[in-house]
Amino acid sequence: MALFSKIFSKLRSGSATSADWDELERSLIEADLGAPFAAEIIASARKLPKDEVERQLLAELRSHLSGANRDLAKAQNRPTTVIVVGVNGTGKTTSVAKLMELLNSKGQRVIVGAADTFRAAAIEQIQTWGARLGVEVIAGKAQGDPASVAFDSAKRAIEVSADYLLVDTAGRLHTKSGLMDELGKIRRVIEKSTPVDEVLLVVDATTGQNGITQAKLFAESVSVTGLILTKMDGSAKGGIALAIEAMTGIPVKFVGTGESAKDLQPFDGEAYLAGLIA
Ligand code: GDP
């Protein structure tokens, strides 16, 4: 993205003007940093001595990234339980398939609970991936009770001493409280058998500020421990990772970079900042 490279070279040659800073502010907004956040960054950078801008700006951007651990949780002597939440269409079910692939390729035994019972296609999608990878999928009937699928999958994960339990969930935002109640119930029934280690929220990077609003809303209601930022391949606006971490404090743990099961990368904060600056 190299958003800052132009201003840095102008600062080095002593030719940076007010118009250059304005242009940078516009490109930060276009990169989905959001207007108030972009204004804040520009205002503080403009106050810095010219030969300090690069170093201090990098430090400032870094301070807005979450300092939390970005590794996927790993429990000892019991299944690590990961609930995947997010609004429909963000890439939630695909992200569950990608996590199945990732963990399976590391020799981890995975059980999946297909608790997005609202969408028959989501259940089928997970079952197809499960069959392909040899991963057991616990599914109920379409329109069935998602909490009962979650409960059965937790029981099964313990029974077979699985390393990971991944639970897909529905994401209808018809009413906020309806969805959050459903997610709360899924969590509680799992916790009757085993602790929940991660709640990963899937956000579509191409939805910009709307994605940030979704993240805030979910973070207020369910204890989100990490983010999966999908469709980064289709977005030139990678500023959203910084904006979303600055606004919510939740670490991005993975980025989705395509539609196939292998298109999931761990998020590397330093490499990301280097990309913004370069
Ligand atoms: P859900 O409703 O949140 O479960 O969404 P799905 O997993 O069904 O995904 C919705 C659409 O987004 C599908 O067409 C996916 O192939 C696509 N998708 C998911 N993740 C990515 C990604 O990282 N990159 C791209 N380009 N497409 C993705």
Side-chain angles (χ1 to χ4, degrees), residues 154-232:
K155 257 184 30 194
R156 182 66 182 153
I158 292 165
E159 207 170 271
V160 301
S161 304
D163 298 299
Y164 277 90
L165 167 64
L166 304 177
V167 180
D168 190 20
T169 63
R172 292 163 295 146
L173 258 187
H174 58 309
T175 62
K176 178 188 163 190
S177 64
L179 176 60
M180 300 308 163
D181 288 351
E182 185 172 295
L183 294 175
K185 190 171 165 203
I186 286 175
R187 185 184 185 115
R188 284 194 301 281
V189 298
I190 293 172
E191 284 174 340
K192 285 183 183 167
S193 309
T194 192
V196 171
D197 300 283
E198 292 259 18
V199 178
L200 294 181
L201 171 64
V202 177
V203 174
D204 177 343
T206 63
T207 59
Q209 297 302 302
N210 189 19
I212 297 174
T213 308
Q214 281 170 25
K216 281 190 190 155
L217 192 146
F218 274 86
E220 276 163 22
S221 309
V222 287
S223 338
V224 178
T225 55
L227 298 167
I228 301 180
L229 214 42
T230 59
K231 310 186 195 181
M232 286 292 269

Side-chain angles (χ1 to χ4, degrees), residues 85-98 116 119 121-122 125 168-171 202-204 206 228-235 255-260 263-264:
V85 304
V87 173
N88 274 351
T90 53
K92 195 166 30 65
T93 303
T94 309
S95 296
V96 172
K98 290 173 177 178
D116 181 357
R119 271 197 325 134
Q125 199 180 334
D168 190 20
T169 63
V202 177
V203 174
D204 177 343
T206 63
I228 301 180
L229 214 42
T230 59
K231 310 186 195 181
M232 286 292 269
D233 51 311
S235 170
V255 290
T257 53
E259 296 187 69
S260 92
D263 295 327
L264 187 75

Side-chain angles (χ1 to χ4, degrees), residues 76-143:
Q76 298 299 318
N77 308 317
R78 61 173 175 80
T80 307
T81 300
V82 181
I83 304 179
V84 182
V85 304
V87 173
N88 274 351
T90 53
K92 195 166 30 65
T93 303
T94 309
S95 296
V96 172
K98 290 173 177 178
L99 288 170
M100 282 161 84
E101 163 88 24
L102 175 78
L103 293 166
N104 195 55
S105 73
K106 290 185 174 171
Q108 299 290 297
R109 178 155 190 184
V110 182
I111 294 286
V112 178
D116 181 357
T117 55
F118 185 71
R119 271 197 325 134
I123 303 176
E124 283 161 24
Q125 199 180 334
I126 296 267
Q127 283 174 323
T128 305
W129 282 112
R132 193 174 299 170
L133 296 169
V135 169
E136 188 178 350
V137 173
I138 307 298
K141 288 197 189 68
Q143 314 300 326

